[in-house]
Amino acid sequence: MKSTVLRWIRDIIVIIIGSAVYSLGVHIFISPNSIAPGGVTGIAVIIAEFAPIKVGTLILLLNVPLIIAGFIKLNKSTMVKTLIAVGLISVFTDLAEMFVPVYKAGAGDGILAAVFGGGIMGFGMGMNYRSEGTTGGTDILTKILGMRFPEMKLGVLQAVIDGIVVLGGLAAYRDINVVLYAIIAIFVQTKAMDFVVYGGNDCRFLFVFSDNTDEIAKRLLEQRRGVTLFKAEGAYSGTERKVIATAVHRNAYSKVKRLVHEVDPGAFVVVTGTSEVLGEGFTKV
């Protein structure tokens, strides 16, 4: 019970910081340069351009029906944290208008606003995701649609929704540069969020099929790498052999590939990318 309470307190503190960071990205770089980077925030930026309502207030108002739907359809713990995050983002964004100066890009300088705005927003979003919360908005809609249409990937659904918002920005501002800056902001935002959530722990997972499995495994162990051996049988030949499975950091992948080639140039190797590996030798669980 005590550990659960402490975890909640820690998560709420991180969400407060993450929401503040996200709000600064919106206020300083995104809103003053009319960049609509998808989602509810993008819609709020567009509306605020033509209506006398603050961006933070619009973010809250637009999120109300989505949050209600989220409480009905999704995990309640996540939605409580999301509700806290949305409320904080709304308050922080509107407060920032009173105290924090903005970056107004000159002609042709919108790319700087898109990069820095997207990066800061992504950093804040990542902090919220790591604490099992979200920044609300279309994240909620995407998850609900994913439950309704499980055959569609969440990434595709999110891209479609963001694309609609970006095109809405084009219709509102009638400026192709707005669309291009929004695309850049979304891309940078996604990369920054992934870096925070996964810690930049980009790894490779290898399956090695070889007639010299024991020698390759021995060499890998000498490099202090974790190695798992599986027994496998060829469907065509019926021959039994061992298969090596090992995970390596991205910067060590070339070294391992070279080792396999030195032992058996004819080895068959399957390599997959993985965003995170937990356990001994990698990030702690």
Side-chain angles (χ1 to χ4, degrees):
M1 180 66 180
K2 183 179 179 181
S3 61
T4 301
V5 173
L6 290 175
R7 173 173 289 185
W8 259 85
I9 292 173
R10 182 199 65 188
D11 287 347
I12 295 305
I13 291 173
V14 174
I15 286 173
I16 291 172
I17 298 172
S19 299
V21 171
Y22 182 91
S23 299
L24 288 175
V26 174
H27 167 71
I28 298 174
F29 295 103
I30 298 300
S31 180
N33 294 287
S34 301
I35 298 173
V40 164
T41 299
I43 297 172
V45 170
I46 294 172
I47 295 175
E49 188 79 14
F50 304 97
I53 309 176
K54 293 182 178 180
V55 173
T57 302
L58 285 167
I59 290 175
L60 179 62
L61 294 175
L62 292 170
N63 266 291
V64 168
L66 295 172
I67 289 175
I68 293 173
F71 270 106
I72 296 172
K73 296 286 187 179
L74 304 177
N75 179 275
K76 300 301 184 290
S77 175
T78 297
M79 287 309 305
V80 168
K81 293 177 180 178
T82 297
L83 177 60
I84 293 171
V86 169
L88 289 171
I89 288 171
S90 175
V91 172
F92 288 149
T93 303
D94 286 347
L95 283 177
E97 291 189 17
M98 301 166 57
F99 304 105
V100 183
V102 301
Y103 172 78
K104 187 69 175 176
D109 291 335
I111 189 171
L112 293 177
V115 170
F116 282 95
I120 294 172
M121 289 172 63
F123 194 88
M125 289 177 68
M127 294 180 71
N128 284 358
Y129 274 109
R130 289 201 67 161
S131 299
E132 298 180 356
T134 73
T135 53
T138 53
D139 289 340
I140 301 172
L141 181 59
T142 299
K143 289 179 180 179
I144 293 174
L145 288 175
M147 294 173 63
R148 178 66 178 82
F149 305 102
E151 68 278 4
M152 291 192 67
K153 294 182 178 180
L154 292 182
V156 174
L157 288 171
Q158 186 69 55
V160 170
I161 295 170
D162 285 343
I164 292 172
V165 176
V166 170
L167 291 176
L170 175 62
Y173 301 122
R174 300 186 182 278
D175 183 356
I176 189 62
N177 288 323
V178 171
V179 174
L180 299 178
Y181 294 149
I183 292 172
I184 293 171
I186 292 171
F187 177 80
V188 176
Q189 176 180 291
T190 301
K191 293 297 180 182
M193 183 180 69
D194 286 346
F195 180 80
V196 174
V197 173
Y198 300 116
N201 187 21
D202 190 18
C203 301
R204 298 291 182 268
F205 194 79
L206 290 77
F207 290 101
V208 182
F209 302 80
S210 170
D211 293 327
N212 298 293
T213 302
D214 291 337
E215 178 63 21
I216 294 173
K218 178 183 175 183
R219 295 275 297 275
L220 289 171
L221 290 171
E222 288 173 353
Q223 292 186 0
R224 303 178 65 84
R225 304 192 186 283
V227 177
T228 300
L229 296 176
F230 295 96
K231 287 186 178 180
E233 180 181 327
Y236 178 75
S237 65
T239 304
E240 277 196 6
R241 65 172 63 187
K242 296 176 183 176
V243 178
I244 294 173
T246 184
V248 298
H249 290 288
R250 179 176 54 183
N251 56 5
Y253 165 64
S254 295
K255 185 176 182 179
V256 171
K257 186 170 69 170
R258 189 180 305 114
L259 180 155
V260 173
H261 178 77
E262 289 174 355
V263 176
D264 182 5
F268 184 78
V269 183
V270 178
V271 183
T272 64
T274 178
S275 57
E276 189 171 26
V277 177
L278 305 177
E280 186 175 350
F282 296 88
T283 304
K284 290 184 179 181
V285 179

